Amino acid sequence: MENHSELFYALSHDALSDGPEVKRRAAMAQFLPLMRDMAMDEFGAFEELRQHVKRVRQHTLDNLDYYLARFELEATNNGNQVHFASDGAELNSIVLDICQQHNARRVAKGKSMVTEETGLNHYLERGGLDVVETDLGEYIVQQAGETPSHIVGPALHKSRESIRDLFLEKHALGERELNEPADIVAEARRVLRETFLTADVGIIGANALVADTGYSMLVTNEGNGDLCANLPSVLIVCTTLDRLLPRGEDASAMQRLLVRSATGQPQTCYTSFYSGPRREDDSDGPLETHIVLLDNERTDILASDYREVLQCIRCGACMNHCPIFAAVGGHSYGSVYPGPVGSVLTPLLSSLEQAEALPNACTSCGRCAEVCPADIPLPDLLRDLRHDLSEQKVTPRRWRFGMRLHAFVAARPGLYRALTNLGFGLLARLGRKKGSFQHLPLAGGWTSARDFPAPQGKTFMAQYQARQAIDE
Amino acid sequence: MNDTTAPQVSLFVTCLADLMRPSVAFAALRLLEQAGCEVSVPTEQTCCGQPGYNSGEFASAIPLAKRTIELFEHAEYVVAPSGSCAGMIAHHYPRLLEGAWRERALALAEKTWELTSFLTDVVKLDTAPAHPTALPPITYHDSCAGLREMGVREQPRQLLKTLCDVEVAEMHQSDVCCGFGGTFCAKMPGISAQMADDKLASAAATEAAILTGGDLGCLLNLAGRARREGLAIEVRHVAEILSGDLYGPAIGEGDH
Ligand code: SF4
């Protein structure tokens, strides 16, 4: 997917004025946190498991070289071919090569954010392949020519009516009208079954890579991942190298947090471990399997002050709880990873200049960090990015200058009192009658959306010191 | 008063209370004195440095953090009528500073409190102020920093109950951000206004006459948006209500 996070201001502005969408997003923002909270309450031991998983993730990242080597060895012993891709272009060309070696015509894809990151679908299509997304949400956005708006619910932004209209337009439906959700799902299933049976290559992502067995783990609710992995004769697993975990039990511990955080379920419907190609006595499975591990800035992030963001297990809870995500929707972020974690990742994957708006699209309310199962201090990381923006002079000069001026004055109490007594005294007199101002010079950002409440009167310090003087 | 056993409190006034709404700081003073504290107000204080810090201008925030530490570290307790300023001192100074300054920041953090939690958890204020008339229904907005950095949730509700005999009319999602966020509200006013509108709609649904909270930043944002949209709800700081100061104009209201 192309990154256009520089459009955040424009896209979010448009999103805010789209009435029905605003309502739908508000409804989701009520519903998803509720599901998550209920699941966590029922589970009880959230904090212990969270700290455990965090330690495991940190340990793995600290020793990534070791676990990568181990994984590669075990996966190769299982009969997989393991590839490393330093950037998106390299991943795309490795995958296309494999498809071409097998004269593939059709590819069935399971849900994968990493291949969204690299823009794999378009690349394969340009290479002459027919690529079909098989996750229902992904299939819908693919049909609509859109991109996912959420890492767990890619079509969260679409209403049932719009999906029905889309199918009526794109599918040959004859008399059928798809009035019930079940009809819409059945229609998608009909098309996707056909895809599974005719695809030459299956491509899936991985939620975890298990170093000591060389297995990869994938969780889905629709089972489409398993069909992509087992029906076509060639399987390609595409993921990033930070998905590594030492042991199978670590993957299962992570999965318990992941699913509850994502959808409020105790389990997904399908959690599968893939070991490699079909063995002699197996009755099914792919004949050939590849695992492509993408770096794309991850090792740089690992070496930076932002390494904690690599603990992310892609549950989407931070976006479900972010009031800004709720207000503007995932597409406003203009990148594959929206919401709080996306606002950290996107600038690191692209550039501070391009993604300047994202670290600022945060009130530091802390709700994301409160729910993040990987215990990532997202508001702190976003603030650190603002620091980088300022250091590298990407922040507009007037902001940097304004803050410096404020600090200069605030460090000099005499000057501070003189200026504030004058300025706020004047404002208080001017505003006493009406109580607030509709316009105020130098406060245009504030007054463009709200009135500016007038100060009450003399400053506290002026009043307090006057009282002290009388008492003495 | 010169009682040596009385808790010695240094009041952190907060710049917004100082400049915009002194009645909040006076209310805090009265409440602390009612609770038997001996309160001092270091008059050299200005701002905790939060605007610069949250904008990523750490170099601007550091000198202000050091000043605040110097001014307040000798206190027995530091109390602020704001979860976000208390959170800045207790939570973020140690993050911002290094070495010996960090140690001093950590020591200060130990004794820094948000007003309502200090009143319930430390000095256990339970004497009721005189409220001549019954209060109208009140709803409470949980400001983010107070809630998540300083653990303020039940304390103001409990005080409203014991001091004012009023039960908070709980709004839906009272713990979701109102869109203030310091400079956020000026940088992204459209998103901020949407968030404030959601909050104001939740508050209106409770049919409360007063929307209160523990942080002036949020309250100025909500009052400003309510005024812009012509909503009738009064916005007041919880310290004012607790201290019985309910008769002057609410935030953003004129002097009728
Ligand atoms: S940052 Fe945390 S909450 Fe957000 S997707 Fe990643 S693991 Fe989930």
Side-chain angles (χ1 to χ4, degrees):
Chain A
M1 169 182 174
E2 272 173 46
N3 182 332
H4 40 256
S5 41
E6 73 283 1
L7 298 179
F8 181 82
Y9 293 100
L11 293 170
S12 62
H13 180 267
D14 293 349
L16 284 168
S17 41
D18 187 349
E21 280 301 303
V22 172
K23 283 223 181 65
R24 271 178 44 72
R25 286 197 292 266
M28 295 309 292
Q30 315 264 321
F31 175 68
L32 291 166
L34 207 70
M35 296 298 288
R36 180 260 172 206
D37 291 350
M38 273 166 28
M40 287 304 178
D41 284 350
E42 205 156 281
F43 180 59
F46 171 63
E47 195 52 41
E48 284 102 277
L49 187 59
R50 175 200 221 187
Q51 292 307 324
H52 170 73
V53 168
K54 176 181 165 184
R55 278 195 298 276
V56 172
R57 297 282 292 151
Q58 287 181 336
H59 166 82
T60 321
L61 292 169
D62 288 345
N63 300 282
L64 198 60
D65 287 0
Y66 170 80
Y67 288 111
L68 262 180
R70 179 78 195 269
F71 177 80
E72 187 186 7
L73 179 73
E74 300 296 338
T76 311
N77 285 344
N78 296 343
N80 297 285
Q81 299 176 44
V82 181
H83 313 257
F84 291 90
S86 60
D87 59 17
E90 196 176 350
L91 179 138
N92 290 349
S93 83
I94 291 170
V95 173
L96 182 62
D97 273 357
I98 298 168
C99 293
Q100 284 171 344
Q101 279 162 26
H102 293 273
N103 295 320
R105 284 210 301 272
R106 174 170 279 188
V107 174
K109 278 190 71 209
K111 188 161 158 322
S112 150
M113 294 317 289
V114 168
T115 58
E116 292 287 342
E117 183 180 320
T118 67
L120 178 67
N121 288 9
H122 288 305
Y123 187 84
L124 294 181
E125 281 160 3
R126 278 199 300 274
L129 286 149
D130 174 22
V131 183
V132 184
E133 291 289 349
T134 64
D135 171 273
L136 179 59
E138 289 272 346
Y139 176 71
I140 291 165
V141 292
Q142 188 187 31
Q143 291 294 299
E146 296 176 10
T147 53
S149 65
H150 186 286
I151 61 174
V152 174
L156 209 62
H157 59 289
K158 298 196 84 70
S159 68
R160 193 219 303 172
E161 292 71 35
S162 69
I163 297 168
R164 173 177 171 267
D165 294 347
L166 180 70
F167 281 13
L168 289 178
E169 181 198 328
K170 300 271 173 172
H171 293 187
L173 289 167
E175 295 290 287
R176 289 175 304 138
E177 290 188 349
L178 308 184
N179 286 326
E180 297 301 317
D183 297 337
I184 299 178
V185 175
E187 171 57 18
R189 183 175 289 143
R190 187 186 63 79
V191 174
L192 294 176
R193 277 199 180 138
E194 171 80 19
T195 305
F196 293 125
L197 293 170
T198 53
D200 310 294
V201 172
I203 297 179
I204 59 172
N207 294 82
L209 301 167
V210 180
D212 73 349
T213 56
Y215 294 177
S216 56
M217 179 181 83
L218 182 68
V219 296
T220 67
N221 266 325
E222 298 163 19
N224 61 310
D226 290 345
L227 295 170
C228 288
N230 287 313
L231 291 178
S233 57
V234 179
L235 168 66
I236 309 174
V237 178
C238 295
T239 192
T240 45
L241 37 80
D242 53 310
R243 300 292 100 200
L244 268 165
L245 287 171
R247 304 159 302 178
E249 62 200 82
D250 302 320
S252 94
M254 183 192 93
Q255 195 259 10
R256 268 176 279 163
L257 276 183
L258 169 69
V259 185
R260 286 181 175 86
S261 301
T263 56
Q265 294 163 284
Q267 265 295 348
T268 50
C269 300
Y270 303 90
T271 298
S272 306
F273 288 86
Y274 304 104
S275 55
R278 182 191 303 195
R279 285 159 300 202
E280 254 166 44
D281 46 354
D282 286 348
S283 57
D284 56 10
L287 299 170
E288 189 178 308
T289 59
H290 299 262
I291 300 168
V292 190
L293 297 177
L294 175 68
D295 182 329
N296 199 25
E297 309 293 333
R298 266 58 173 200
T299 44
D300 285 348
I301 297 173
L302 189 62
S304 76
D305 292 338
Y306 297 99
R307 66 165 8 196
E308 281 163 297
V309 77
L310 297 180
Q311 285 160 222
C312 174
I313 61 175
R314 303 283 186 268
C315 70
C318 55
M319 42 204 86
N320 296 343
H321 287 75
C322 175
I324 290 153
F325 181 92
V328 304
H331 281 155
S332 294
Y333 293 79
S335 84
V336 197
Y337 307 102
V341 72
S343 294
V344 178
L345 255 184
T346 306
L348 301 174
L349 297 181
S350 55
S351 74
L352 277 178
E353 283 76 15
Q354 191 185 11
E356 171 271 329
L358 301 187
N360 287 302
C362 165
T363 61
S364 305
C365 81
R367 206 168 173 228
C368 54
E370 187 175 65
V371 298
C372 173
D375 204 16
I376 302 172
L378 293 158
D380 290 340
L381 297 183
L382 289 166
R383 195 183 297 104
D384 289 347
L385 282 166
R386 278 175 237 156
H387 183 226
D388 291 352
L389 284 170
S390 161
E391 296 274 286
Q392 296 176 29
K393 303 201 185 343
V394 183
T395 310
R397 173 190 273 269
R398 64 174 200 288
W399 277 104
R400 286 181 283 134
F401 180 73
M403 287 305 157
R404 252 165 254 168
L405 185 67
H406 171 264
F408 179 86
V409 176
R412 291 164 177 75
L415 179 64
Y416 180 84
R417 298 276 171 250
L419 288 176
T420 54
N421 283 338
L422 194 74
F424 284 80
L426 180 68
L427 273 185
R429 278 198 300 285
L430 288 176
R432 177 153 306 145
K433 261 246 161 51
K434 295 191 70 179
S436 38
F437 302 92
Q438 289 191 332
H439 302 284
L440 205 62
L442 300 179
W446 177 284
T447 54
S448 69
R450 33 186 133 43
D451 289 4
F452 185 88
Q456 215 170 19
K458 288 206 171 82
T459 65
F460 171 83
M461 279 306 170
Q463 296 184 51
Y464 179 78
Q465 284 174 322
R467 283 187 200 190
Q468 296 291 96
I470 294 169
D471 287 351
E472 269 160 23
Chain B
M1 189 165 43
N2 203 352
D3 179 355
T4 47
T5 62
Q8 306 287 309
V9 172
S10 275
L11 183 67
F12 189 85
V13 171
T14 87
C15 58
L16 289 180
D18 179 30
L19 307 178
M20 296 293 294
R21 204 156 166 91
S23 61
V24 172
F26 282 117
L29 258 177
R30 278 197 302 280
L31 286 164
L32 288 165
E33 282 171 357
Q34 241 177 63
C37 303
E38 193 166 316
V39 190
S40 63
V41 181
T43 51
E44 299 275 282
Q45 61 176 300
T46 55
C47 165
C48 67
Q50 201 172 169
Y53 176 68
N54 270 333
S55 309
E57 301 287 336
F58 296 171
S60 299
I62 287 171
L64 297 184
K66 289 182 177 170
R67 279 195 79 237
T68 308
I69 292 173
E70 280 169 342
L71 283 169
F72 285 89
E73 66 188 340
H74 303 295
E76 186 182 357
Y77 296 105
V78 178
V79 176
S82 154
S84 102
C85 305
M88 177 71 192
I89 297 173
H91 205 75
H92 297 291
Y93 280 6
R95 236 192 136 247
L96 187 61
L97 299 170
E98 286 167 0
W101 278 105
R102 182 159 188 277
E103 296 306 312
R104 289 167 75 176
L106 285 168
L108 180 62
E110 284 289 299
K111 50 191 180 186
T112 298
W113 291 83
E114 180 276 340
L115 176 70
T116 62
S117 61
F118 181 77
L119 292 175
T120 54
D121 304 354
V122 182
V123 288
K124 314 209 188 309
L125 174 68
D126 51 12
T127 54
H131 270 290
T133 49
L135 292 179
I138 289 176
T139 193
Y140 192 89
H141 162 60
D142 290 289
S143 294
C144 304
L147 179 70
R148 302 197 177 87
E149 290 170 5
M150 300 306 288
V152 179
R153 177 168 233 140
E154 291 312 315
Q155 297 91 330
R157 291 171 170 80
Q158 184 191 324
L159 288 169
L160 283 166
K161 180 103 197 77
T162 51
L163 303 191
C164 306
D165 196 25
V166 56
E167 194 84 53
V168 168
E170 292 294 345
M171 68 171 111
H172 186 58
Q173 294 199 327
S174 68
D175 61 341
V176 173
C177 180
C178 70
F180 174 61
T183 51
F184 173 82
C185 66
K187 281 187 178 153
M188 303 200 178
I191 305 174
S192 169
Q194 173 73 47
M195 292 161 72
D197 286 349
D198 290 345
K199 177 85 0 180
L200 289 166
S202 301
T206 66
E207 299 189 359
I210 301 179
L211 167 59
T212 190
D215 254 285
L216 259 183
C218 313
L219 299 177
L220 291 165
N221 177 44
L222 291 168
R225 184 65 187 169
R227 289 296 302 241
R228 175 66 50 99
E229 297 288 288
L231 306 176
I233 199 157
E234 278 183 28
V235 182
R236 295 180 188 273
H237 192 282
V238 71
E240 298 174 296
I241 299 174
L242 292 173
S243 74
D245 175 8
L246 266 168
Y247 304 102
I251 299 172
E253 269 191 0
D255 215 357
H256 323 291

